Amino acid sequence: MTAREVPTYCRICEPLCGLIATVENDRLIRLRPDKRHPLSRGFACPKGIAFADVQNDPDRVLYPLRRTASGEFERVSWETALDEIAARLRVVTAAHGRESLGWYFGNPATFSYSHTLWLGGFQLAAGLRHVYSAGSQDVNNRFVASNLLYGSPTSVPVPDLDRTDFLLMLGANPVVSHGSVISAPRIRDRLGGIIKRGGRVVVVDPRRTETAKLFEHIAVRPDSDAWLLATLLQVIFAERLEDAAALRDQASGVAELRSAVARFTPEGTAAVTGVDPGTVRALARDLAGARRAAVYGRTGTCLGRHATLVAALIDTLAAVTGNLDRPGGSVFGKELVAVSELNARLGLIGYDRKRSRVGDFPDVLGTFPAAIMAKEITTPGPGRLRALFTSAGNPMMSVPNGGELASALRELDLFVAIDLYLTETSRMADYVLPATTFLERDDAPLPFAALAPIPYTQYTEAVVRPYGEARQEWEIIDEIATRMGVQPFAVGPARLGGRALSALRRRLPQAGALRMRPQLLLDLALRTGPYGDWFGLRPKGISLARLREHPHGLLLAEHAPTDVLRRVVRNPDRRVRLAAPQLIAELAGLTEQSADPAYPLRLIGMREPKSHNSWMHNVEALVARREHALRIHPKDAAVAGLADGDRCRISSAHGSVEVTALLSEDLIEGTVALPHGWGHRGGWRRAAEAGGANVNLLMSTEIADVERLAGMAHLNGVPVRVEALVPAENG
């Protein structure tokens, strides 16, 4: 059979780079970058190209598995697995109600429109309370900051990379990560473009990262971003550098904010941040004086003790300098689907709509902190979590204190994992249900147009049919829901109302009783969204049919829109709320963490070019000739008695791991860095052989250590000590 080439796109991270898949006999032969993609233009990183090895991996789970009495797995049919799962669910819900059911989903779920829609529909229809995600180890603080500032958790500004003159970047390394909470293919080129235009890129980070090496670097102590940002605001206000006209037009609470940051002088915070007062003043003046400036923060700013405050201060700095919702500043993309509008009308998801049983944490977009999931299983009382599903996630690796979670999972009445592999988590399940890869399903990147400085989108058909008996997550969710007597979208259209419902009913007279399918729902959402054609009323708008006419992707606009703040802000006065009580209280409560001589160093995470979370380490091309290593400054290594390549033990108050030491002057003294996603012990051969250690074993799930506003895990700036292993321990 002749090989064919199929345009598609990568769904590993936010750039969504275009790919060309070569397929023969319905098997993937290889992947290569798509030169015709309008933005990635022939670029794709090693992880995207290596996904061919994931697709064809002999370690993939391709058939439903059931745990036997001996603890091993046996293959069963889909009907057997689903019927038995449903029967056990009926027993659990009869005894404890649906509030005893739970779900954890990982980051890959966000890259599948059908997975996200059906899980959300199932959550709403079944009334699930126990829903957790990787967001509490990643980005939920960003959504909470948006809710506090704008009254909408999904209103998230991004830096206008292609028009800015000054980019201040904190805790981000896009040369390696390719950008996160921003969809900007070829981001390295776009950062370089700022310099070519005569602008500046300033990177604030405890490590001289791959990005910092290309631009200006300001070294800062771990988990001190809140102090630094508050100090920049203090200088701007004290020297009257704020854009008073923009603040009058856009914001409320300016006086309260000014008062709250007044104590954060450069001299007063230098001991916390490690940044020279003169450097801070110069940075504040340069930022305020730039013609067009943007401020951007990512993972390093999201995982400290004040993650939500930091995210809010990043946007506040943009607002105070007149760079919020302005060309070249921090801009709000237009959504592909009217999520914010629908949510404002229907109140489906939001912030602090309900509280967790353990710890009294607010929900964020319907999810609770994953760090409390184990305690929700083990803590007695009404509403205890007793049956759990996981999809596209490996929480034993990605959630703090995996040992606590492993013990808790054994107490569940039912545990079902939907996954590609037998991971550390899924191998503990009662049933493992095989999911498709992203190449085995159709897709459209619904959330990401709003995060794109240059808006674009793409629709892809499935590149190959599912291998073995793998099924799409939405199909699995739908089957489980049906057996529970729940149909996520059987009445979905009625919730939409108005012209959308009327148009759908004209096309499908029986729509009111229809069990919706993803493509139908996708087309409806696209056509009635901000870019939609409204069933022909807007001839240049998009529909599923139009996206199919552009298989390499479609540019939606030259730039993200500006002067849209009144549209994206949902506060009653349509102003940015700079003095939300929660944020002012956080500023008032900022105190330096007291040093513990037993743990004199601070641990940070880091990205590696060939790693992505915990699910790309079974690819030989990505793990070959690599070793998991702790980066440590030579002076700190000397104190610990370490030479380059020695084995060492890293200990925190909550655990310890052993890795190899790699001496590096890229780190400031007192800081060590260990990449995440290593330490596999699951059923994937090459990942387990790669070795390494799970850095999250050093992290805490104590209620006091979980950030209060968004439930973020504390993974950055964690106190640790490093010791050389004695020869006997080195073996």
Side-chain angles (χ1 to χ4, degrees):
M1 188 174 180
T2 305
R4 58 190 178 93
E5 296 194 332
V6 184
T8 187
Y9 65 91
C10 183
R11 275 146 279 176
I12 294 175
C13 59
E14 285 99 317
L16 311 168
C17 297
L19 297 172
I20 297 294
T22 302
V23 178
E24 188 172 349
N25 295 327
D26 216 33
R27 301 285 294 185
L28 180 70
I29 304 301
R30 61 184 166 273
L31 294 168
R32 73 173 193 275
D34 182 4
K35 294 180 180 180
R36 295 176 60 187
H37 188 279
L39 291 179
S40 61
R41 301 190 308 275
F43 173 82
C45 78
K47 298 186 291 291
I49 301 303
F51 195 82
D53 292 336
V54 174
Q55 176 64 39
N56 296 323
D57 195 337
D59 287 347
R60 273 185 65 187
V61 175
L62 297 178
Y63 306 95
L65 301 176
R66 176 178 62 191
R67 180 178 296 282
T68 65
S70 67
E72 300 299 317
F73 285 103
E74 62 180 359
R75 177 178 170 179
V76 295
S77 70
W78 272 104
E79 287 302 307
T80 296
L82 292 170
D83 287 345
E84 291 181 1
I85 290 167
R88 293 176 65 170
L89 282 173
R90 284 192 289 271
V91 172
V92 173
T93 56
H96 308 289
R98 287 181 181 169
E99 61 269 24
S100 64
L101 308 183
W103 202 292
Y104 175 94
F105 61 95
N107 276 351
T110 308
F111 293 84
S112 167
Y113 82 92
S114 55
H115 186 167
T116 303
L117 288 173
W118 252 253
L119 179 53
F122 179 58
Q123 177 183 357
L124 293 171
L128 295 187
R129 280 188 54 83
H130 288 288
V131 182
Y132 310 91
S133 79
S136 56
Q137 297 90 253
D138 185 4
V139 72
N140 280 358
N141 65 307
R142 173 63 265 181
F143 301 131
V144 175
S146 288
N147 196 80
L148 296 175
L149 291 169
Y150 313 120
S152 169
T154 54
S155 295
V156 177
V158 297
D160 190 358
L161 297 176
D162 302 286
R163 294 187 285 183
T164 195
D165 301 312
F166 190 109
L167 176 62
L168 175 60
M169 190 185 319
L170 302 95
N173 187 13
V175 167
V176 170
S177 71
H178 304 290
S180 182
V181 194
I182 182 173
S183 188
R186 303 189 73 102
I187 195 169
R188 179 171 179 163
D189 294 345
R190 294 162 85 165
L191 294 175
I194 299 172
I195 306 302
K196 290 179 181 178
R197 295 193 298 272
R200 295 171 61 193
V201 176
V202 179
V203 180
V204 177
D205 202 286
R207 184 171 74 92
R208 191 160 58 99
T209 64
E210 292 82 352
T211 304
K213 289 176 182 178
L214 297 179
F215 305 105
E216 301 175 47
H217 178 220
I218 295 176
V220 66
R221 288 185 178 143
D223 200 17
S224 65
D225 303 295
W227 282 264
L228 179 62
L229 292 165
T231 304
L232 292 172
L233 287 166
Q234 188 276 336
V235 172
I236 290 169
F237 281 129
E239 298 187 6
R240 300 187 180 280
L241 301 174
E242 72 272 22
D243 189 325
L247 290 173
R248 283 194 301 271
D249 182 54
Q250 295 181 336
S252 66
V254 177
E256 294 93 329
L257 174 67
R258 186 194 305 268
S259 175
V261 300
R263 69 184 178 96
F264 294 96
T265 64
E267 289 75 18
T269 59
V272 180
T273 65
V275 183
D276 178 77
T279 300
V280 177
R281 283 197 169 86
L283 179 60
R285 292 164 184 161
D286 292 347
L287 179 67
R291 187 165 66 97
R292 296 174 299 188
V295 189
Y296 170 65
R298 195 44 198 106
T299 310
T301 66
C302 293
L303 301 174
R305 292 171 296 136
H306 305 282
T308 301
L309 174 63
V310 170
L313 290 178
I314 286 171
D315 287 11
T316 298
L317 197 55
V320 168
T321 57
N323 288 297
L324 186 66
D325 188 34
R326 294 290 186 267
S330 298
V331 296
F332 296 88
K334 189 189 295 185
E335 295 172 323
L336 199 62
V337 175
V339 174
S340 298
E341 183 68 28
L342 284 172
N343 196 50
R345 292 183 179 182
L346 304 177
L348 301 177
I349 55 175
Y351 172 60
D352 202 8
R353 303 282 179 86
K354 53 190 176 182
R355 290 271 169 160
S356 64
R357 189 178 67 105
V358 172
D360 192 38
F361 289 98
D363 78 294
V364 181
L365 300 179
T367 68
F368 288 124
I372 67 169
M373 185 163 58
K375 292 178 175 61
E376 290 282 12
I377 296 171
T378 58
T379 302
R384 179 180 179 180
L385 176 55
R386 295 177 181 272
L388 177 67
F389 291 82
T390 61
S391 58
N394 187 7
M396 277 184 55
M397 290 288 292
S398 59
V399 172
N401 196 353
E404 178 191 40
L405 181 58
S407 298
L409 292 176
R410 297 186 183 97
E411 296 188 26
L412 289 168
D413 295 335
L414 175 66
F415 177 24
V416 179
I418 304 170
D419 213 310
L420 304 179
Y421 290 105
L422 278 177
T423 68
E424 292 71 23
T425 302
S426 64
R427 71 174 180 172
M428 299 191 67
D430 299 303
Y431 298 86
V432 181
L433 305 180
T436 55
T437 68
F438 65 65
L439 296 173
E440 296 168 341
R441 65 173 188 254
D442 78 303
D443 239 329
L446 294 189
F448 298 104
L451 300 175
I454 299 178
Y456 72 102
T457 194
Q458 186 172 2
Y459 176 77
T460 179
E461 304 282 3
V463 170
V464 293
R465 285 196 293 266
Y467 287 10
E469 294 181 9
R471 292 186 182 182
Q472 295 185 53
E473 286 95 344
W474 81 266
E475 295 176 295
I476 300 171
I477 295 168
D478 203 63
E479 289 283 359
I480 292 167
T482 299
R483 283 166 167 78
M484 287 180 60
V486 173
Q487 292 186 2
F489 289 104
V491 295
R495 301 289 299 275
L496 300 177
R499 289 182 291 174
L501 176 59
S502 299
L504 180 64
R505 282 180 170 161
R506 284 197 300 271
R507 297 177 70 207
L508 292 164
Q510 302 304 314
L514 181 71
R515 284 179 62 189
M516 296 284 281
R517 297 186 66 81
Q519 289 184 3
L520 178 63
L521 196 57
L522 174 63
D523 190 42
L524 174 66
L526 290 172
R527 302 188 81 168
T528 57
Y531 291 102
D533 71 352
W534 280 93
F535 301 96
L537 297 177
R538 191 187 293 162
K540 293 185 179 181
I542 65 171
S543 63
L544 186 54
R546 186 173 179 216
L547 293 186
R548 283 177 165 140
E549 294 171 357
H550 297 271
H552 299 274
L554 179 67
L555 288 178
L556 301 172
E558 186 177 357
H559 296 288
T562 51
D563 296 322
V564 297
L565 204 59
R566 293 289 189 269
R567 173 173 59 82
V568 300
V569 172
R570 300 289 172 181
N571 294 324
D573 61 0
R574 297 289 176 172
R575 290 176 170 270
V576 182
R577 189 168 54 167
L578 298 182
Q582 300 93 322
L583 300 176
I584 297 300
E586 282 275 304
L587 281 167
L590 275 184
T591 55
E592 184 178 1
Q593 187 178 14
S594 58
D596 184 345
Y599 304 103
L601 305 175
R602 293 294 178 268
L603 175 66
I604 63 173
M606 60 176 285
R607 282 285 187 103
E608 296 176 296
K610 293 185 177 181
S611 293
H612 186 78
N613 299 341
S614 67
W615 63 286
M616 291 296 288
H617 282 157
N618 212 48
V619 177
E620 186 171 359
L622 298 181
V623 298
R625 297 181 298 280
R626 293 176 59 217
E627 185 175 14
H628 193 210
L630 176 78
R631 278 67 167 179
I632 183 171
H633 192 278
K635 291 184 179 179
D636 293 322
V639 172
L642 285 170
D644 197 49
D646 285 353
R647 297 287 292 173
C648 65
R649 178 181 295 115
I650 314 163
S651 302
S652 72
H654 311 286
S656 65
V657 297
E658 297 177 3
V659 293
T660 297
L662 178 64
L663 275 57
S664 172
E665 293 187 350
D666 290 338
L667 289 147
I668 62 171
E669 292 179 48
T671 300
V672 293
L674 188 65
H676 65 276
W678 291 78
H680 295 283
R681 301 294 182 268
W684 30 17
R685 294 175 294 109
R686 283 181 292 275
E689 292 167 1
N694 180 4
V695 67
N696 286 336
L697 295 176
L698 300 171
M699 311 308 178
S700 172
T701 56
E702 294 300 317
I703 298 301
D705 292 325
V706 180
E707 190 253 3
R708 289 304 312 176
L709 292 178
M712 301 298 293
H714 181 200
L715 306 179
N716 198 35
V718 176
V720 297
R721 67 171 176 267
V722 176
E723 305 162 287
L725 293 178
V726 299
E729 292 177 293
N730 275 306

